[in-house]
Amino acid sequence: MEQNNLTLVMEFILLGFSDLPNLQGLLFGIFLAIYLSILTGNCLLIVISKIDPALQTPMYFFLRNLSLLETCFTSVTLPRMLADLWSQKRTISLLACAVQTCFLYIFGVAECLLLAAMAYDRYVAICKPLYYPLIMNHKICVQLVVASWMIGVPVLIEETYQVFSLNFCGPNKINHIFCDAPPLFKLACGDTYYVEVSVHVVALLFVTIPFLLILSSYAKIITTIPKLPSTSGRSKAFSTCSSHLMVVCLFYGSGSIVYLQPKSSQSAGSGKVLALFYTTVIPVFNPLIYSLRNKEVIAAMRKIFLK
């Protein structure tokens, strides 16, 4: 360091919404309300699907885990954002930044894989109903959930290590709402090409492979639904599948734009908006999508509230 006359950065400043100084209090109130809504909606969905006997099925087992995962995913970014808006401090150490980035990726990849597992569950339920209890037994469901949570952990820890092994010698201002690889690359000294390629390849694999599995599952589901004998069966299959597809499109769409678009087309403003969308807005909508479009969940909620 002395030979190259470089001072390595040991902490960053998350600029966030510092360009809106007159709206800090309003933004704090909005994001606090959003965070409380996410916690309430997802926790309510977890409790309802756990205690109601009618919801003790693989679909709701996966849904409970999705709600838990989204609560964790949101808790990686929103509490820190709220603290920055409240204190106006905005500084974050290099280690804390690396931890936030790592958990953001771990939970994001886990959600991609869990959505693929949920699509497979719907495929078996609709296309192979007679074999459904045999194929989607409790042991298989647990294994799919554990695999979704854990399969990407070693790779993502390695990717995070590569990103934070780069030299950051100033400036130290991250023009983003949380620590993430794309804005960090702009602050790195030296060549970041190989690390950027590695991050994009890993993102492409963990986004594309689950997405292709989801597409193949739904291609078979779409051809099977019209062949179902009863109108009520077709209606129920369409309802559960459309809810899942809405969540998939929202999550994959915004995440793909953030991490797979060319570097030249990225802007700080659009990056913040898209990051807010997939880390904050989608977790608010998901409990609503799965509850308001699901008669079984609505019936379970009525039972609980009436009691």
Side-chain angles (χ1 to χ4, degrees), residues 84-132:
D84 289 343
L85 287 168
W86 180 260
S87 66
Q88 302 295 309
K89 189 178 178 183
R90 304 188 190 284
T91 57
I92 184 171
S93 68
L94 185 71
L95 178 60
C97 191
V99 170
Q100 186 183 57
T101 303
C102 188
F103 277 106
L104 180 74
Y105 291 166
I106 287 172
F107 292 138
V109 166
E111 184 156 350
C112 290
L113 296 170
L114 188 58
L115 288 171
M118 293 174 74
Y120 176 71
D121 170 69
R122 292 298 83 207
Y123 157 73
V124 177
I126 294 170
C127 300
K128 299 183 178 181
L130 297 178
Y131 297 98
Y132 184 69

Side-chain angles (χ1 to χ4, degrees), residues 20-34 82 85:
L20 303 171
N22 298 327
L23 299 177
Q24 300 298 295
L26 176 62
L27 290 172
F28 177 84
I30 291 172
F31 288 125
L32 179 60
I34 288 174
L82 289 169
L85 287 168

Side-chain angles (χ1 to χ4, degrees), residues 3-293:
Q3 290 179 352
N4 295 324
N5 197 26
L6 294 177
T7 302
L8 297 184
V9 171
M10 297 308 295
E11 70 174 15
F12 296 103
I13 299 172
L14 283 167
L15 294 180
F17 301 100
S18 58
D19 55 336
L20 303 171
N22 298 327
L23 299 177
Q24 300 298 295
L26 176 62
L27 290 172
F28 177 84
I30 291 172
F31 288 125
L32 179 60
I34 288 174
Y35 187 49
L36 293 176
S37 299
I38 292 169
L39 293 180
T40 304
N42 283 299
C43 289
L44 185 61
L45 202 54
I46 291 170
V47 171
I48 289 172
S49 63
K50 182 67 176 178
I51 66 176
D52 192 280
L55 304 183
Q56 304 306 307
T57 63
M59 184 178 80
Y60 293 104
F61 175 74
F62 289 121
L63 186 55
R64 282 199 298 274
N65 280 275
L66 180 65
S67 296
L68 175 61
L69 184 56
E70 292 204 324
T71 302
C72 297
F73 185 61
T74 309
S75 297
V76 173
T77 56
L78 263 180
R80 177 82 205 191
M81 195 189 310
L82 289 169
D84 289 343
L85 287 168
W86 180 260
S87 66
Q88 302 295 309
K89 189 178 178 183
R90 304 188 190 284
T91 57
I92 184 171
S93 68
L94 185 71
L95 178 60
C97 191
V99 170
Q100 186 183 57
T101 303
C102 188
F103 277 106
L104 180 74
Y105 291 166
I106 287 172
F107 292 138
V109 166
E111 184 156 350
C112 290
L113 296 170
L114 188 58
L115 288 171
M118 293 174 74
Y120 176 71
D121 170 69
R122 292 298 83 207
Y123 157 73
V124 177
I126 294 170
C127 300
K128 299 183 178 181
L130 297 178
Y131 297 98
Y132 184 69
L134 180 63
I135 297 175
M136 299 304 296
N137 58 65
H138 183 68
K139 182 180 178 181
I140 294 296
C141 292
V142 170
Q143 289 175 346
L144 287 171
V145 167
V146 171
S148 299
W149 280 81
M150 301 303 297
I151 199 169
V153 171
V155 178
L156 296 167
I157 290 175
E158 171 62 24
E159 289 302 307
T160 305
Y161 175 76
Q162 287 190 37
V163 172
F164 284 88
S165 293
L166 297 169
N167 290 327
F168 300 98
C169 51
N172 67 336
K173 294 180 179 180
I174 303 175
N175 192 12
H176 205 50
I177 55 177
F178 52 79
C179 288
D180 200 0
L184 282 167
F185 287 139
K186 298 177 182 178
L187 304 181
C189 305
D191 186 17
T192 64
Y193 176 77
Y194 292 106
V195 179
E196 288 189 55
V197 169
S198 176
V199 168
H200 278 82
V201 168
V202 170
L204 187 64
L205 288 175
F206 280 119
V207 169
T208 304
I209 293 175
F211 188 65
L212 290 176
L213 292 173
I214 292 170
L215 284 181
S216 62
S217 295
Y218 275 101
K220 294 175 182 178
I221 289 171
I222 290 169
T223 58
T224 303
I225 287 178
K227 300 175 184 177
L228 295 177
S230 65
T231 305
S232 61
R234 290 194 295 269
S235 177
K236 184 179 179 180
F238 178 77
S239 177
T240 57
C241 292
S242 61
S243 298
H244 183 249
L245 275 176
M246 287 174 66
V247 173
V248 168
C249 291
L250 289 171
F251 184 77
Y252 273 88
S254 56
S256 299
I257 293 172
V258 170
Y259 293 106
L260 299 181
Q261 67 173 327
K263 184 178 178 180
S264 58
S265 63
Q266 294 179 355
S267 68
S270 63
K272 290 180 185 180
V273 171
L274 288 167
L276 273 178
F277 192 76
Y278 78 86
T279 59
T280 304
V281 177
I282 294 175
V284 174
F285 284 140
N286 282 0
L288 296 175
I289 291 171
Y290 279 110
S291 59
L292 296 179
R293 296 177 57 84

